[in-house]
Amino acid sequence: MALTDVWFLLIAILWTGYFVLEGFDFGVGALLRVLGRDDTDRRIMINTIGPVWDGNEVWLIVAGGATFAAFPEWYATLFSGFYLALLLILVALIGRGVAFEYRGKVDTPQWRARWDRVIVACSITPALLWGVAFGNIVGGVPLDADHEFVGSLLTLLHPYALLGGLTTLLLFLLHGAVFLSLKTDGDIRTRARALAVRLGFGAVPVAAAFLLWTWFDHGADVVTAVLGPAAAAALVGGILATRAGREGWGFTLTAGTIVAATAFLFTALYPDVLPSTIDPAFSLTTTNASSTPYTLTIMTWVAAVMTPIVLLYQGWTYWVFRQRISRAHIPSSPAPAEEHA
């Protein structure tokens, strides 16, 4: 396997990890005012992801850095052509982080409600736009002979990409609801489990339509013929397991759905990294978009040393914070007079 193929695979793994881990973060944030009937419920929901959400975002940073270093031409064209969409995602990620930190700074219902709305909006936005972005990456964009994007923001909003956005949004909402049913106890656990089943009725046909559209556009091969049904089976299995109260299996299977679906997309994309809809000869590939072999060699050694360390540390973090959270674990908010006493 050439180093360019190795790094294409590593970038696919990084994006897969990001979607699995940040996916339930987005889902929890988006459902904050749906499942959270009062402030205590919302504090429970935020506390389920509080120790891990910022660590989950590291996968995005590493995926972007790896793309920049391994495939600079891909990075340059992607971030210039998708500039406005990616800027919206960046603003949403910043707003979400600020909202998590500022929500508890003032003990008034109005203050918390304002930041709760920010969390919801800034969770839905990237959950939707990442699907739109990957719909364009896999489906192709207008690239000229110089590998320059010659479209506009509206060019990116075609039916296939919008279906991709709806798919990621529904999958992340489902993944988040299953995660909440796994990480909470009491009434909120029951409601999260019921909501996950209802979300599944929407996620299954939408995800199936998106994968079938991709399959017909890019042609079938052995790998996609396995990954597509695997994603569908995992999705249905995750819904059924959650409905039966087996939230651990439910979360594992919804995570498996995201893994299989992301692998499906990268398999359909290869060996391109950004196809051109003007002329296939103008497409960016793993060969013409890559760095030099020397750069890739150094990066490979660094990745071989650092990746296991990062995985072990993050796995340890999830193990430490593995307990369920209920209303009994949430202390009462101090009254304003007590805060200054």
Side-chain angles (χ1 to χ4, degrees):
M1 182 182 291
L3 285 177
T4 52
D5 296 333
V6 170
W7 276 96
F8 180 84
L9 176 60
L10 287 175
I11 289 170
I13 291 172
L14 289 169
W15 278 109
T16 301
Y18 174 69
F19 286 149
V20 168
L21 299 177
E22 192 77 331
F24 68 74
D25 283 352
F26 291 146
V28 171
L31 296 173
L32 189 63
R33 294 179 66 85
V34 176
L35 287 173
R37 293 182 174 175
D38 56 23
D39 184 60
T40 301
D41 279 352
R42 292 168 193 149
R43 290 170 68 190
I44 290 172
M45 294 173 67
I46 292 172
N47 284 352
T48 63
I49 61 174
V52 297
W53 72 266
D54 48 354
N56 293 342
E57 289 190 347
V58 172
W59 287 77
L60 172 61
I61 297 170
V62 178
T67 303
F68 171 76
F71 300 101
E73 188 85 12
W74 184 17
Y75 182 94
T77 303
L78 187 65
F79 277 77
S80 60
F82 294 19
Y83 179 79
L84 289 177
L86 294 177
L87 179 62
L88 285 174
I89 292 174
L90 178 61
V91 170
L93 294 178
I94 293 172
R96 198 170 66 110
V98 170
F100 284 142
E101 297 295 333
Y102 275 63
R103 183 185 186 276
K105 297 300 183 184
V106 177
D107 189 31
T108 65
Q110 296 81 4
W111 175 269
R112 290 192 295 268
R114 186 179 301 122
W115 288 112
D116 287 345
R117 286 191 287 270
V118 173
I119 292 172
V120 171
C122 292
S123 297
I124 291 174
T125 299
L128 176 69
L129 291 183
W130 279 129
V132 174
F134 269 83
N136 281 284
I137 291 172
V138 176
V141 293
L143 299 180
D144 62 17
D146 296 322
H147 300 151
E148 296 289 338
F149 178 76
V150 293
S152 65
L153 178 62
L154 293 178
T155 306
L156 305 177
L157 303 179
H158 51 85
Y160 174 73
L162 293 174
L163 181 60
L166 184 59
T167 299
T168 53
L169 176 60
L170 288 173
L171 285 180
F172 292 166
L173 288 173
L174 171 62
H175 197 40
V178 175
F179 178 77
L180 285 170
S181 70
L182 174 66
K183 284 288 293 177
T184 61
D185 211 350
D187 183 55
I188 192 170
R189 175 188 177 187
T190 303
R191 286 186 279 113
R193 188 167 59 214
L195 179 60
V197 174
R198 292 198 298 271
L199 286 168
F201 287 115
V204 169
V206 171
F210 180 63
L211 292 180
L212 284 171
W213 192 336
T214 306
W215 198 41
F216 288 133
D217 271 1
H218 290 266
D221 57 28
V222 175
V223 179
T224 54
V226 171
L227 290 173
L235 180 56
V236 174
I239 296 166
L240 294 176
T242 303
R243 182 181 182 184
R246 304 295 297 274
E247 291 98 341
W249 278 109
F251 182 75
T252 300
L253 288 167
T254 55
T257 300
I258 297 173
V259 170
T262 308
F264 182 95
L265 293 179
F266 273 95
T267 301
L269 177 62
Y270 180 84
D272 291 335
V273 293
L274 193 59
S276 172
T277 56
I278 297 175
D279 188 332
F282 301 160
S283 298
L284 287 170
T285 68
T286 55
T287 303
N288 65 20
S290 70
S291 293
T292 64
Y294 180 72
T295 300
L296 295 178
T297 300
I298 294 175
M299 290 173 56
T300 302
W301 282 109
V302 172
V305 173
M306 298 304 299
T307 301
I309 297 174
V310 173
L311 292 175
L312 286 172
Y313 173 76
Q314 192 160 33
W316 175 80
T317 303
Y318 276 90
W319 176 256
V320 169
F321 296 101
R322 67 188 181 278
Q323 292 85 2
R324 291 181 182 270
I325 302 174
S326 68
R327 297 180 77 91
H329 297 99
I330 305 298
S332 299
S333 298
E338 294 174 336
E339 287 186 310
H340 301 289

